[in-house]
Amino acid sequence: MEAPPRHRQRATRAALALCVSALLALAPALIDSAHAGGTAAANRSGAAAESLRWLLAQAPPAAAEDGRGAAGPSPLGALLSEARARLRRGDAAAAYRLLAERESLYAGFPEYDFLLGLAAIDAGKPARAVFALERVLAAEPGHLRARAEIARAHFLLGEMDASRRQFETVASQAIPGAVRDTIGRYLDAIEHLSTAQRPQTTAYLALSTGYDSNVNLGSSLREWIGTGGLRLLPEATSLAQDGSFVRFGAGVERVVPLDDRWQWYAKAAFEQRLNSVRRDTELGTVDLSAGLGYREDCHRMSLTAQLQHARLERAAFRNAAGITAQWQCESAARTRAGGYAQAFRLLFPEQSDRDARRLQVGAVMARGFDSAREPVLIGSAYAGVERSSRDLAEYDFDFVGLRFVSEVTLLPGWRGYAGVSYEHRSFDGVNPLFAGLRRTDRDLELQIGVEHPVGDWTITPAAVLTRVWSTIDPNDYRRAQIYLHARYRFR
């Protein structure tokens, strides 16, 4: 039978809250650092649930004079005694089944309803717990024990406003400090989850300046070998030229949660580079993207539409439009794996012969290690094809690549990284100007840098070394960049 709409909605909102509630049970202190994990069963034996259980030991059972108590050896008394015994043994599911079978007989008896609600929470049925505990509070509004447990049930259902109200009511009473601290951690978690479920906007500014040994990606060869062994002397403009540069940019992102699993997002960014020489190679880009994200257990999936406009010499150079599908999963503690696929259409307004279609797929894995320096290793592999829209073989090529990055804490507040990447490109057509050679490029890049946060700024001195070996001499080059990057994040 399909669940009623209200129950489906509750189940959707409950997923993230369930994880955080379990974490409260396993290690309450971790909530302060906004981590989440664990299982719902951990609530039963954890510190948070046990602290709230103190409330169970306070105040005597409901009075029996009205016939609604469980003080004597009546059928109801025997039922509740057996249910409590099962709960003490940690068998909440058995206690819940025992009580639920007799709900039509005893619903409305506060002591029965309270124990049914308690067993339902620990058996992973918080929605049933809410109904039972509401009956308790309707009969006895001052039943502090029931109010604490219904707050926890609302939390597990993801009903944060209701949970907050009930926890605050309990916290306003005279309760031990340990219990007050536990409720405080629940309230902190509610605030964290409520913030995560609200639309958020972030923005940044970025600025880089440094030295580039090859601003124009000029050839590193002073002599080229053409068709028939003809030796060619390249013009100075075709050789590497060094100089300083400034690069600046900005971006903004809007994320709108649709529910606990789905979110919608949109991004806009621009970047512009200015050179001290060869102003004709100054590249500027504008990027727009929007998409949907989905989360389920360890899985994170997204589908993003992307547009990019690139300008060279302040004139349109290239337009790109495409879509990216991405998946990742945190399969184990400190281990994350993922994959992606991209499809793009490339248009060159001033060089329509270069118009192309590009497809790429890749896989990524990251692994963190539990040590004082918090090292992280990241590896990725990818492959793809680019095909000319005009069926010109000299522009068709296949490519494969590998990338590895390692990060480590060098000093407090200083995070270092080093990376190496390699890409191999194999073109289909031959170049008639260079002995009919088929072009093949091998691209090796080394990166090293250090990140240091300063307030809302992140300062990064870095260096990048690039070497491209090509069978076509004009495309063979070396490059070294040394720069200082600063990024400001608006909060």
Side-chain angles (χ1 to χ4, degrees):
M1 171 182 279
E2 184 179 8
R6 176 173 173 78
H7 289 177
R8 292 199 304 270
Q9 187 179 22
R10 277 178 164 175
T12 300
R13 293 197 304 265
L16 191 53
L18 185 63
C19 293
V20 175
S21 179
L23 179 69
L24 280 164
L26 286 171
L30 293 181
I31 280 297
D32 297 333
S33 58
H35 290 295
T39 63
N43 260 324
R44 296 197 292 272
S45 60
E50 287 304 318
S51 294
L52 288 175
R53 289 292 186 268
W54 170 88
L55 296 168
L56 297 177
Q58 311 305 305
E65 289 77 19
D66 61 356
R68 291 178 175 267
S74 63
L76 177 56
L79 173 68
L80 297 183
S81 294
E82 176 61 23
R84 289 191 187 97
R86 295 185 183 189
L87 283 173
R88 283 194 296 270
R89 292 197 300 267
D91 195 351
Y96 172 76
R97 288 194 301 270
L98 177 69
L99 294 166
E101 289 172 356
R102 294 163 176 79
E103 188 171 8
S104 61
L105 293 175
Y106 298 119
F109 288 75
E111 194 71 6
Y112 166 85
D113 286 332
F114 174 76
L115 208 57
L116 175 63
L118 184 62
I121 291 175
D122 289 351
K125 300 179 182 296
R128 292 296 305 274
V130 168
F131 291 124
L133 294 167
E134 283 176 344
R135 294 196 297 264
V136 179
L137 294 174
E140 301 181 11
H143 199 305
L144 198 60
R145 300 173 294 173
R147 197 168 296 280
E149 293 299 342
I150 200 172
R152 199 161 63 97
H154 283 305
F155 183 89
L156 291 170
L157 288 167
E159 297 171 346
M160 298 304 164
D161 290 339
S163 181
R164 180 189 291 109
R165 287 194 300 271
Q166 299 292 2
F167 273 129
E168 288 175 346
T169 299
V170 175
S172 68
Q173 307 300 311
I175 57 178
V179 178
R180 192 178 304 280
D181 290 344
T182 297
I183 290 175
R185 284 192 287 271
Y186 271 105
L187 291 172
D188 289 344
I190 289 169
E191 181 61 28
H192 172 72
L193 291 171
S194 298
T195 299
Q197 292 171 0
R198 290 197 294 265
Q200 298 183 44
T201 301
T202 57
Y204 72 89
L205 294 174
L207 177 67
S208 301
T209 183
Y211 168 80
D212 190 337
S213 70
N214 193 348
V215 172
N216 58 323
L217 303 184
S219 175
S220 60
L221 302 176
R222 296 288 177 176
E223 185 178 84
W224 299 344
I225 305 300
T227 301
L230 180 64
R231 296 182 179 276
L232 304 175
L233 295 178
E235 296 183 357
T237 54
S238 298
L239 299 176
Q241 299 183 39
D242 66 336
S244 59
F245 69 91
V246 173
R247 183 171 58 236
F248 57 89
V252 62
E253 179 180 12
R254 176 73 169 173
V255 179
V256 180
L258 304 178
D259 57 31
D260 286 340
R261 297 182 181 181
W262 289 92
Q263 68 177 12
W264 172 86
Y265 54 88
K267 303 177 186 178
F270 88 92
E271 185 176 281
Q272 178 65 55
R273 174 168 166 144
L274 303 176
N275 299 322
S276 62
V277 298
R278 293 301 302 264
R279 305 298 297 271
D280 59 321
T281 63
E282 294 176 343
L283 182 67
T285 59
V286 176
D287 292 274
L288 301 174
S289 63
L292 285 172
Y294 177 79
R295 56 189 295 165
E296 176 74 29
D297 297 327
C298 79
H299 304 286
R300 303 290 184 269
M301 289 161 276
S302 64
L303 187 65
T304 307
Q306 298 170 275
L307 296 173
Q308 185 188 76
H309 174 68
R311 300 180 70 82
L312 203 58
E313 293 187 85
R314 295 180 174 81
F317 169 60
R318 183 191 65 219
N319 295 314
I323 192 166
T324 298
Q326 188 172 10
W327 162 84
Q328 67 177 23
C329 177
E330 192 166 347
S331 57
R334 298 179 175 271
T335 300
R336 180 171 297 177
Y340 66 90
Q342 294 179 323
F344 273 86
R345 178 73 186 276
L346 308 176
L347 300 176
F348 295 82
E350 302 298 325
Q351 299 172 290
S352 58
D353 285 351
R354 295 182 61 185
D355 291 353
R357 301 176 302 276
R358 183 183 178 97
L359 300 174
Q360 181 174 331
V361 296
V364 183
M365 177 167 284
R367 171 67 176 168
F369 298 89
D370 189 10
S371 72
R373 296 191 180 275
E374 300 178 304
V376 175
L377 295 179
I378 304 169
S380 66
Y382 61 91
V385 297
E386 189 168 311
R387 294 290 179 261
S388 168
S389 298
R390 297 179 178 269
D391 297 323
L392 300 175
E394 59 266 36
Y395 293 120
D396 293 346
F397 65 92
D398 304 336
F399 60 93
V400 294
L402 296 170
R403 182 176 294 114
F404 297 96
V405 178
S406 102
E407 300 178 5
V408 66
T409 298
L410 303 174
L411 294 169
W414 293 88
R415 184 84 174 158
Y417 68 88
V420 57
S421 61
Y422 175 81
E423 182 173 294
H424 184 277
R425 296 181 292 273
S426 179
F427 287 75
D428 293 349
V430 297
N431 191 315
L433 297 179
F434 289 87
L437 292 174
R438 191 183 304 274
R439 179 180 169 184
T440 298
D441 295 342
R442 293 175 293 128
D443 188 332
L444 179 66
E445 186 170 276
L446 304 176
Q447 300 181 32
I448 189 170
V450 179
E451 294 183 346
H452 178 58
V454 181
D456 290 330
W457 288 91
T458 299
I459 309 300
T460 307
V464 181
L465 304 177
T466 306
R467 179 68 171 102
V468 176
W469 295 271
S470 179
T471 55
I472 306 300
D473 290 347
N475 302 112
D476 190 291
Y477 69 88
R478 295 180 177 86
R479 187 185 195 188
Q481 299 177 82
I482 302 173
Y483 60 89
L484 181 66
H485 177 74
R487 181 185 178 99
Y488 181 84
R489 182 181 178 185
F490 295 94
R491 298 182 183 274

